Amino acid sequence: MVMSYYCSLKRKKMKNPVENNHSDPVSEFILLGFPCSWEIQILLFSFFFAIYGLTLTGNLCIISAVLWDDHLHSPMYILLANFSFLEIWYVTSTVPNMLANLLSETSTISFYGCFLQFYFFFSMGTTETFFLSAMAFDRYLAICRPLHYPTVMTVQRCIRIGAGCWVSGFSCFLLPVYLISQLPFCGPNTIDHFLCDPGPLMKLSCVPAPATETICAIYNSVLIFSTFLFITSSYTLVIRAVLRVPSAEGRHKAFSTCGSHLAVVSLFYGSIMVMYVSPTAGNPTGIQKIVTLFYSVMTPFFNPLIYSLRNKEMKKALRKLFRSMRFGQRQPLKN
């Protein structure tokens, strides 16, 4: 009885702001999240908490293995360590707040907090597209231009590429965030989502904003398709080169390395294209939440599994790392 009252109170409090005076400017938003029974809320909290913990652990293991094992101090693994570091913050930008909302009576977020989450979440998503492009370019050079690879992709140049991915990713989304934040919000403040997503945010604007919506749609499409075409073009050339390798063992090794990258690219781009290439398509709210959960929570969880299970060098480095931690060794893993 107490739990049923709690859930009904939560739903009631979430609906009240919709009935507020529409002339008052919005100072906070309510993230509706997953309105359901208390038992389901606890089940969702337990599931996402476990996924979040495993995601942090998996990506931290990859970062630690790259830092500790001298054999992994190469451009490919430096980019992978950056990618894992990015994934940690990518999932942290949304999941802790989602977990807190699952246990709270009213899932409120301030106006500025909402746009900060919007900015950091999508900036890191944009940075991920650049890192996936850089990793594809690295594999292209290593397989298609092996003689030039050591001179072209040096560690210093790899670090500069990584820094460029971070700076570009956090610069690109300033325009969409600015445009949407300038819209007037004076009516309902309930976002039927578990994060501050641009689509539901624009629907809450007091006036129609077709220009902003069109600019954001074009912006997202150019960003997504340009990086996706660059990645697919790189891997097309890689596959052509691999197929010409006379040794079956050589082909298997090359496909194993590239297969991990392609799996991550497929998971990430497949879901974001559904969501953001055509934001005016009017996807059902339930579908939006599921797809967003997939690329924001599940993909960062799968990435360390994909890279560690399909990469022999990474598995070897992780075994050394766990063995050194077990016996209390803290020296770099050189052997």
Side-chain angles (χ1 to χ4, degrees), residues 1 27-28 52 56 78 108 112 117 134 162 190 200 208 228 232 235 241 258 285 291 312-313 315 322 333:
M1 293 289 294
S27 61
E28 64 180 18
Y52 180 58
L56 296 185
I78 291 173
T108 59
Y112 294 107
Q117 184 192 60
T190 301
F228 182 71
T232 53
Y235 280 118
C258 297
T285 303
V291 174
K312 291 182 179 180
E313 291 184 355
K315 286 191 288 186
F322 296 146
L333 306 176

Side-chain angles (χ1 to χ4, degrees), residues 21 24 48 58 122 138 147 161 173 176 203 225 231 237 239-240 250 265 268 275 291 321 324:
N21 188 342
D24 297 332
F48 290 127
F122 286 96
D138 175 75
L147 299 178
I161 290 174
F173 240 84
K203 290 179 181 178
F225 279 114
I231 293 170
L237 296 174
I239 292 172
R240 288 177 55 188
V265 169
F268 183 73
M275 282 294 298
V291 174
L321 175 64
S324 69

Side-chain angles (χ1 to χ4, degrees), residues 207-234:
V207 296
T212 299
E213 191 170 341
T214 301
I215 291 172
C216 290
I218 295 173
Y219 191 88
N220 291 333
S221 299
V222 170
L223 176 66
I224 292 171
F225 279 114
S226 61
T227 53
F228 182 71
L229 288 174
F230 179 85
I231 293 170
T232 53
S233 299
S234 299

Side-chain angles (χ1 to χ4, degrees), residues 54-65:
L54 292 172
T55 300
L56 296 185
T57 302
N59 284 290
L60 282 173
C61 285
I62 288 179
I63 295 171
S64 300

